[in-house]
Amino acid sequence: MRLAVLKERRRHETRVAATPETVKKLVQLGLTVAVEAGAGAGASISDADYSAAGAEVAHGAPTTLTGAGIVFAVQLPEKAEREAIPHGALLVCTAGLMADKPMAGEVAGLGIDLASMELLPRISRAQSMDVLSSQANLAGYRSVIEGAAAFDRGFPMMMTAAGTVPPARVFVMGAGVAGLQAIATARRLGAIVSATDVRPAAKEEIKSLGASFVGVEDEETAKQTGAYAKEMSAEFRRKQAELIAATIAKNDLVICTALVQGGRAPTLVTNAMVEGMKPGSVIVDLASDGGGNCEATRPGEAYVTANGVKILGYHNWPSRISVASSSLYAKNLLTFLTAFWDKAAQTLKLSPDDDIVKGVMVTRGGAVIHPAFEGVTAAAPAPLPTPEPPPVREPSPPPPPIEEPPPDPVPAPAAKPKSEPDFVAPPSGSEPPRRKAKARAARSAADTGEAE
């Protein structure tokens, strides 16, 4: 079976869905691996590295996808690449269709079996396949590194002969995977760290990492269970805002990590809170792709506010550490494939009764099957455009008759050179020619004499 690895074409995406390490293991399973040329460039992986690992490097998506039964990608491929995927092939990626549910019908209409890895259930058997956790973990780390680079003072406390540099104060909003890694990284750098989360269970996790907990605890937070936070009511946000405003004003670096899958990110930091921060403070918004947790965030930009606060709202934070994030993502996909690979039959067997399969499979057999997409039906593929008939041309007028040039004149035969005529005997009764000449001469002389 052929497995195709596509080059990512969406903006701000530098990751790749397979590395030379995972390619070797895929080949060992009996797969033929084709990697699109340039797919690993953003993650510092050359085409030669893939070739050395046993992959075929193909030029262009259509060539890469030819005959593929499995397709690996980071994000949902663009329209042209989706249409080039063979009918019945399995596409494994983070499709992000919760924010665009009708797209599931389009994918089903193309006959693609889609496994959307961000929908993986939170069960122990699936931990090694959890792409959200692996990517959020690195995003949390990167948020502190970039925040520290933008902060114009030191992170740890430093005592010198010239004086003491106080430690930075870091406030992390959201204690999921990204938030917990941000806490741990900021603590390693020597900052004083505090954090907040709407889930009561997160309180102990925050404290276990050496940070202090800040938050409102009421009946609504008690209902927050599971790994992902649910959107809170307006009343809760109002009470939390009052507490958070005072906390933010005292901190140097604020890291926002609250995302709602398939929806807009909640606003946690208002413009008024930003105005109350000290000049030189930094806000890092990991939720910028969802609109941002900070009201002043400009998605995709980093800028300084009028009161001197730096706001980092970059897109796609995992791509800002592409080598590590590609490595972990590729291993997540390899683990998923290996778990359902039948070595004897050399094929993939995705049982519809398996909890993992039920969690990730959005489309199958030309239909939308995931319960979260109830009511979405497969869209008929767009018909190929009918070529326009060639324009009817009016018949051209017949060309004018070709006049044949007059024939060349036939040259007259060359005149025969004049020669002395043969002597012809005079007719009888006539004078000989000499006598006639003498007579004419005599008459002429007589005439002349008379005239004189």
Side-chain angles (χ1 to χ4, degrees):
M1 183 179 289
R2 182 180 175 92
L3 185 149
V5 181
L6 288 178
K7 177 182 177 180
E8 300 299 314
R9 288 169 169 79
R10 296 184 184 270
R11 291 186 65 194
H12 312 294
E13 185 56 77
T14 59
R15 293 171 291 175
V16 64
T19 62
E21 179 186 354
T22 62
V23 165
K24 289 178 182 178
K25 294 179 180 179
L26 291 169
V27 171
Q28 289 172 2
L29 291 176
L31 287 160
T32 300
V33 181
V35 180
E36 186 177 357
S44 301
I45 304 172
S46 68
D47 293 341
D49 293 335
Y50 283 117
S51 296
E56 168 198 338
V57 176
H59 294 275
T63 305
T64 308
L65 292 167
T66 300
I70 303 171
V71 180
F72 276 3
V74 178
Q75 297 193 50
L76 184 69
E78 298 277 19
K79 181 178 176 60
E81 287 68 49
R82 289 198 302 270
E83 293 177 347
I85 295 175
H87 191 279
L90 173 69
L91 171 61
V92 185
C93 65
T94 51
L97 297 184
M98 292 298 289
D100 186 10
K101 291 188 177 183
M103 180 60 71
E106 181 183 322
V107 174
L110 293 171
I112 300 171
D113 294 348
L114 173 62
S116 195
M117 296 300 289
E118 77 275 14
L119 301 177
L120 199 76
R122 302 287 294 193
I123 58 178
S124 58
R125 191 163 64 93
Q127 286 181 358
S128 57
M129 312 172 193
D130 191 348
V131 298
L132 287 184
S133 292
S134 69
Q135 302 305 288
N137 185 58
L138 292 169
Y141 163 80
R142 189 69 181 187
S143 69
V144 177
I145 298 302
E146 300 219 18
F151 187 53
D152 294 328
R153 296 189 289 275
F155 248 57
M157 182 178 70
M158 292 180 282
M159 301 179 68
T160 71
T164 300
V165 177
R169 302 184 70 91
V170 177
F171 182 47
V172 180
M173 306 187 73
V177 175
L180 292 174
Q181 181 58 250
I183 292 169
T185 304
R187 287 280 297 152
R188 292 189 197 103
L189 293 178
I192 297 173
V193 185
S194 58
T196 185
D197 197 283
V198 297
R199 296 165 298 145
K203 181 177 180 179
E204 296 305 318
E205 294 176 328
I206 290 170
K207 289 186 173 181
S208 69
L209 293 172
S212 58
F213 177 76
V214 178
V216 175
E217 298 181 63
D218 58 10
E219 293 181 3
E220 191 171 356
T221 59
K223 296 177 183 178
Q224 287 281 355
T225 58
Y228 301 112
K230 299 179 179 66
E231 190 169 2
M232 306 300 288
S233 67
E235 177 60 21
F236 174 85
R237 291 199 298 269
R238 184 192 64 78
K239 290 188 291 184
Q240 181 171 268
E242 295 174 356
L243 174 62
I244 298 305
T247 305
I248 286 177
K250 293 185 269 185
N251 279 271
D252 301 306
L253 178 64
V254 176
I255 299 176
C256 305
T257 69
L259 276 168
V260 177
Q261 194 171 123
R264 193 195 185 286
T267 300
L268 305 180
V269 182
T270 64
N271 287 331
M273 295 177 187
V274 176
E275 291 171 2
M277 296 179 72
K278 297 173 289 187
S281 300
V282 180
I283 296 175
V284 181
D285 199 339
L286 293 185
S288 56
D289 286 327
N293 293 146
C294 177
E295 193 175 5
T297 294
R298 297 175 184 172
E301 294 184 31
Y303 77 104
V304 182
T305 66
N307 64 319
V309 177
K310 298 178 182 179
I311 301 181
L312 310 184
Y314 301 124
H315 284 306
N316 198 342
W317 281 88
S319 277
R320 300 186 69 82
I321 182 170
S322 59
V323 174
S325 58
S326 294
S327 176
L328 295 187
Y329 182 83
K331 288 177 182 176
N332 291 147
L333 267 55
L334 172 67
T335 304
F336 171 75
L337 186 71
T338 305
F340 298 100
W341 185 256
D342 188 329
K343 294 182 179 179
Q346 291 288 290
T347 189
L348 192 64
K349 292 187 177 180
L350 298 172
S351 170
D353 298 323
D354 188 280
D355 289 337
I356 293 176
V357 175
K358 286 192 284 187
V360 300
M361 293 302 297
V362 177
T363 65
R364 195 167 192 176
V368 180
I369 62 173
H370 198 284
F373 297 84
E374 186 176 359
V376 180
T377 57
L384 294 174
T386 304
E388 295 183 2
V392 179
R393 297 181 179 178
E394 296 183 359
S396 303
I402 300 175
E403 296 182 359
E404 296 184 0
D408 293 335
V410 178
K416 187 175 181 180
K418 197 170 182 180
S419 59
E420 289 293 331
D422 295 333
F423 176 77
V424 179
S428 60
S430 62
E431 293 180 325
R434 292 180 179 177
R435 291 179 181 178
K436 287 183 179 181
K438 289 181 178 180
R440 285 196 297 270
R443 286 196 296 270
S444 295
D447 292 339
T448 303
E450 291 176 357
E452 291 177 354

